[in-house]
Amino acid sequence: IDNQTIAEMLTMIDFSIFVAIKPIELLKTAWSKPTKKHRAQNITNLINRLNNLTMWCACMIVWPETLKKRVEMYEKFIKIARILRTLNNFNTLMGIIAAVNMSAVQRLKHTKNSVKKKSLQQFSVVEKLMKPNLSWKAYRQTVKAALLPALPYLGVFLTDITFMEDGNKDVINSKINFTKRRLIYSTIKQVQSFQQSAFNFPISNPSFTLLSEFSPVSENLLYNLSLVREPRNIDLKELQ
């Protein structure tokens, strides 16, 4: 599947989950509490989707038996990440960044060292954009200026709301803390503003169907496969 199609179909799938999130799901950090997760089903779905995407990307990089094929796959996901950035799909972009930074992928030194320097530099640009430094400063500035449609990184909204909920009392001096309510309402309004403008790429099958569900792979299994692909202290010549 070509990179543009993958990026567009991932965007359509992930945005369809994001747009379904209701304001009530963002209240009382329900998504983080086992007894209340049923109140935040779409948030939970998008979190699980992102985690599965991350594992799938990492698996696709580690899976090829030859160094050449692993390098090709590594560079393919860098290209997809860059396209996602141009589409202003920051949520799915974060999943690919997380995949490349998984220990099973990071330990493949010969694979990474064989990737074109230009590709690594290009990936570094999007990676820096999505770093949580200074309360996600670079990302916040970029997403604020982004033209719609855009798919923001949900994790930042959830972090913000968690701080608002945990750092402010519901009641102060027997009175409702309306400052806290306004802060949370403002964040919910931001989420809704991104939900208003949808992506409209034409559905391309079988790509859309194939990318809709990812078979879960355990992190431990993936790391063990990584050790098979590049055993510790192996010489580059032995892989070629």
Side-chain angles (χ1 to χ4, degrees):
I1 308 173
D2 72 273
N3 301 329
Q4 186 72 32
T5 299
I6 291 174
E8 290 179 358
M9 294 307 98
L10 288 175
T11 297
M12 292 293 287
I13 295 163
D14 293 358
F15 188 82
S16 70
I17 304 172
F18 173 75
V19 79
I21 295 172
K22 299 174 179 63
I24 196 170
E25 296 186 50
L26 293 157
L27 299 176
K28 300 293 182 182
T29 62
W31 65 86
S32 65
K33 298 168 182 173
T35 57
K36 294 181 180 179
K37 275 191 176 181
H38 63 281
R39 297 183 190 173
Q41 194 59 58
N42 295 300
I43 289 178
T44 302
N45 288 345
L46 192 54
I47 291 171
N48 291 339
R49 165 75 182 173
L50 191 63
N51 290 337
N52 290 338
L53 168 77
T54 295
M55 287 302 300
W56 172 73
C57 292
C59 190
M60 292 296 287
I61 294 171
V62 175
W63 192 265
E65 292 185 19
T66 67
L67 175 66
K68 182 175 181 289
K69 290 293 183 182
R70 287 195 299 279
V71 170
E72 287 175 1
M73 196 56 66
Y74 200 119
E75 292 182 343
K76 183 177 183 70
F77 278 107
I78 289 176
K79 290 172 183 174
I80 293 169
R82 294 182 65 221
I83 296 170
L84 289 169
R85 168 62 191 93
T86 63
L87 297 179
N88 287 329
N89 180 350
F90 302 97
N91 198 74
T92 313
L93 170 60
M94 193 64 184
I96 294 181
I97 290 171
V100 172
N101 282 283
M102 283 186 68
S103 56
V105 176
Q106 280 290 300
R107 65 166 303 282
L108 298 174
K109 302 299 182 186
H110 293 306
T111 300
K112 185 174 181 178
N113 291 339
S114 299
V115 172
K116 297 185 188 78
K117 285 186 178 180
K118 184 179 180 181
S119 294
L120 292 174
Q121 289 168 351
Q122 291 170 336
F123 185 73
S124 178
V125 172
V126 293
E127 196 173 28
K128 285 177 182 175
L129 170 64
M130 300 304 295
K131 281 190 179 296
N133 299 11
L134 300 173
S135 186
W136 303 88
K137 183 179 179 181
Y139 162 74
R140 288 182 195 274
Q141 290 176 339
T142 302
V143 76
K144 187 177 181 181
L147 295 173
L148 299 179
L151 178 51
Y153 174 44
L154 182 64
V156 173
F157 288 128
L158 301 185
T159 300
D160 288 347
I161 291 173
T162 299
F163 276 120
M164 292 169 193
E165 290 281 11
D166 295 347
N168 299 278
K169 295 179 180 179
D170 287 330
V171 178
I172 299 176
N173 297 327
S174 302
K175 294 180 180 179
I176 295 172
N177 184 356
F178 282 106
T179 300
K180 175 179 178 176
R181 295 287 174 267
R182 278 192 290 270
L183 286 170
I184 294 171
Y185 173 75
S186 174
T187 303
I188 291 174
K189 287 293 287 182
Q190 287 179 54
V191 172
Q192 290 180 312
S193 70
F194 286 106
Q195 291 177 321
Q196 299 306 309
S197 299
F199 294 89
N200 60 354
F201 304 119
I203 300 302
S204 176
N205 270 314
S207 307
F208 184 85
T209 303
L210 289 170
L211 295 168
S212 293
E213 294 288 340
F214 300 119
S215 300
V217 178
S218 76
E219 196 167 340
N220 190 49
L221 182 67
L222 190 61
Y223 191 84
N224 288 335
L225 179 60
S226 176
L227 287 169
V228 172
R229 294 293 181 251
E230 284 191 26
R232 291 188 179 94
N233 304 317
I234 192 170
D235 190 83
L236 177 60
K237 292 178 182 177
E238 297 177 66
L239 291 173
Q240 295 176 327

